[in-house]
Amino acid sequence: MADQPILALEHIRKSFGDTAVLHDLNLSIRQGEFVTLLGPSGCGKTTAIRIIAGLEQPDEGRVVLSGTDVTGLPPDQRRVNTVFQNYALFPHMNVYKNIAYGLKIQGCKKAEIRRRVKEILELVELPGFEDRRPAQLSGGQRQRVAIARALVLNPQILLLDEPLGALDLQLRRQMQRELKAIQGRLGITFIYITHDQEEALNMSDRIVVMREGRIEQAGSPAAIYERPATRFAASFIGESNILEGRIEDGSTPDSVREEGGAAFQTPAGRCLFAPPTADALPADTALSVRPDDIRLTREPPAGFTLSGLIADQQYTGSLLRTTVRLSGGLTLKANRHGRLRNQLETGETVYVSWNPAHAALIGGYKDAEPAPFPAACGEAEEVQ
């Protein structure tokens, strides 16, 4: 990918009436990237791509496309096309005419239109469907036609606003694979909008997590999932255990410290994590640990003093979902895979640990105030 970004949003602000939708949004996207804007309804992701497309004007800031400021240009003067969730196909036109419509408006010759429509139908695996109308197509086929109609114009950027939301689960997963394959073959920059975490993780080169008009975190799917930077990112992307507490350098075992680990005191006891490289870390913070990374044992692991009772277990075949109630009323979720030999029983006392490298130090907003932290943090008592 080229170093020069194909798109830059610079200090974008947008309000509707008294409601601020985007707050000083800054984002650069490289040529050929598949970038997903991920967040709950109302986070500003749709407004952001409407501004990129020229369908909305920002109150402040610039949209720079291939080095050119296009903020004031109308949609038809930007090489940006959009695919919507509702497809927006012309019901009275057949597939060929739907796809050819934009080329005709551009003044392309008939032979050129025929060639490009034929090529794009092969790309989306719909050759032979030229004479069918939208009502004669399945949902997945209509979505392919909508994508073909956008791609046939050779846009620099394709914007996709929750395009798979109307499809059933199996078809949605199939279309995820197909969209990623098409994007890879063409090398066009895709900017994709969804609130579906699985879609974002499966398809993206980079995920931009948005909340209340701001970027909460941006990075690769692995970085977002494994090293969430804030409580919101940790809880919105998959499932996560969040433990409030305090970094306790003085209580870190020598063997852990030698390997770059550090101790973290919670109201339920001590645990370990691998701190990020930083000049200074906040004393009071939180850890995020995914349920898949939690280990449950009958014997206390080195460096950890978290213990509790198995409160509930849900067997789903290859996965056992376990809830552990720690001292102080805290609970953790743990997933165990495989045949589960020597299975722990509900009501049994267990010790909780994880690989310190799999615990992410997080910050950001708090939904509620944390539980009062003890004045003196000792080892957690076993829950009887």
Side-chain angles (χ1 to χ4, degrees):
M1 296 180 185
D3 292 331
Q4 172 74 29
I6 191 171
L7 175 72
L9 301 180
E10 300 177 354
H11 304 290
I12 298 293
R13 296 179 183 272
K14 181 66 178 179
S15 296
F16 294 106
D18 295 331
T19 303
V21 179
L22 295 175
H23 307 267
D24 195 29
L25 188 70
N26 292 277
L27 179 64
S28 292
I29 296 175
R30 298 186 296 273
Q31 169 64 41
E33 267 196 301
F34 194 123
V35 175
T36 296
L37 305 186
L38 175 68
S41 297
C43 71
K45 55 188 186 293
T46 294
T47 300
I49 70 161
R50 287 179 62 82
I51 287 173
I52 295 169
L55 301 173
E56 296 283 355
Q57 283 293 307
D59 299 331
E60 298 179 28
R62 299 198 312 158
V63 179
V64 180
L65 183 62
S66 294
T68 301
D69 186 345
V70 299
T71 311
L73 295 182
D76 61 351
Q77 293 184 32
R78 308 182 187 200
R79 287 186 59 192
V80 175
N81 283 348
T82 306
V83 177
F84 299 99
Q85 181 176 338
N86 63 359
Y87 315 131
L89 300 176
F90 299 116
H92 62 288
M93 292 184 182
N94 62 22
V95 167
Y96 182 92
K97 290 181 178 178
N98 263 283
I99 296 173
Y101 182 80
L103 296 173
K104 185 177 179 181
I105 294 297
Q106 289 182 350
C108 292
K109 295 182 178 180
K110 288 184 178 180
E112 174 71 4
I113 292 174
R114 282 195 298 270
R115 181 186 66 80
R116 288 169 65 174
V117 171
K118 181 177 183 294
E119 288 178 352
I120 206 70
L121 281 171
E122 291 175 352
L123 180 70
V124 298
E125 299 181 356
L126 287 178
F129 283 71
E130 292 89 341
D131 295 329
R132 297 194 190 184
R133 294 196 176 188
Q136 298 172 305
L137 303 175
S138 69
Q141 290 167 344
R142 288 196 294 272
Q143 188 57 269
R144 288 188 182 93
V145 174
I147 292 166
R149 185 177 61 179
L151 290 175
V152 78
L153 298 174
N154 296 325
Q156 289 180 303
I157 297 176
L158 185 64
L159 307 173
L160 301 106
D161 189 358
E162 302 205 46
L164 309 184
L167 306 180
D168 61 52
L169 179 60
Q170 184 175 357
L171 184 54
R172 190 160 67 243
R173 287 176 174 170
Q174 177 186 338
M175 286 300 299
Q176 288 172 17
R177 294 189 295 270
E178 292 182 8
L179 268 178
K180 183 63 177 174
I182 289 171
Q183 190 264 346
R185 288 196 295 270
L186 294 178
I188 292 175
T189 301
F190 276 26
I191 302 177
Y192 193 93
I193 279 187
T194 185
H195 59 269
D196 186 312
Q197 300 94 327
E198 181 182 324
E199 263 187 12
L201 292 169
N202 286 345
M203 302 174 67
S204 312
D205 297 321
R206 187 155 53 110
I207 297 173
V208 178
V209 181
M210 295 184 64
R211 172 180 171 263
E212 296 182 358
R214 295 180 173 87
I215 294 175
E216 193 83 0
Q217 184 176 0
S220 69
I224 294 289
Y225 187 82
E226 296 172 10
R227 310 300 296 178
T230 68
R231 288 168 175 80
F232 179 82
S235 58
F236 189 76
I237 309 293
E239 189 177 15
S240 188
N241 297 294
I242 296 179
L243 296 91
E244 302 286 346
R246 181 182 302 144
I247 298 171
E248 294 286 334
D249 290 333
S251 63
T252 304
D254 291 340
S255 60
V256 175
R257 189 184 297 110
E258 289 172 1
E259 296 183 6
F264 188 85
Q265 288 284 357
T266 79
R270 183 181 66 196
C271 53
L272 304 176
F273 76 106
T277 302
D279 294 333
L281 296 173
D284 297 306
T285 182
L287 289 183
S288 168
V289 187
R290 299 293 183 183
D292 287 353
D293 295 321
I294 298 288
R295 300 169 182 165
L296 303 178
T297 58
R298 292 188 172 94
E299 299 297 326
F304 286 78
T305 62
L306 297 178
S307 64
L309 290 176
I310 296 181
D312 182 60
Q313 300 193 91
Q314 296 178 337
Y315 180 66
T316 63
S318 62
L319 184 69
L320 186 66
R321 301 182 185 276
T322 304
T323 301
V324 180
R325 185 178 296 114
L326 304 178
S327 59
L330 300 176
T331 60
L332 290 179
K333 301 289 187 181
N335 293 338
R336 289 183 288 153
H337 300 261
R339 292 295 182 179
L340 309 172
R341 301 192 189 282
N342 300 318
Q343 187 170 322
L344 299 167
E345 301 293 335
T346 300
E348 186 173 354
T349 297
V350 293
Y351 293 89
V352 178
S353 65
W354 51 80
N355 182 334
H358 296 161
L361 191 70
I362 61 174
Y365 84 102
K366 297 180 181 179
D367 288 325
E369 289 300 313
F373 199 84
C377 294
E379 293 193 353
E381 297 180 359
E382 281 193 17
V383 180
Q384 301 299 325

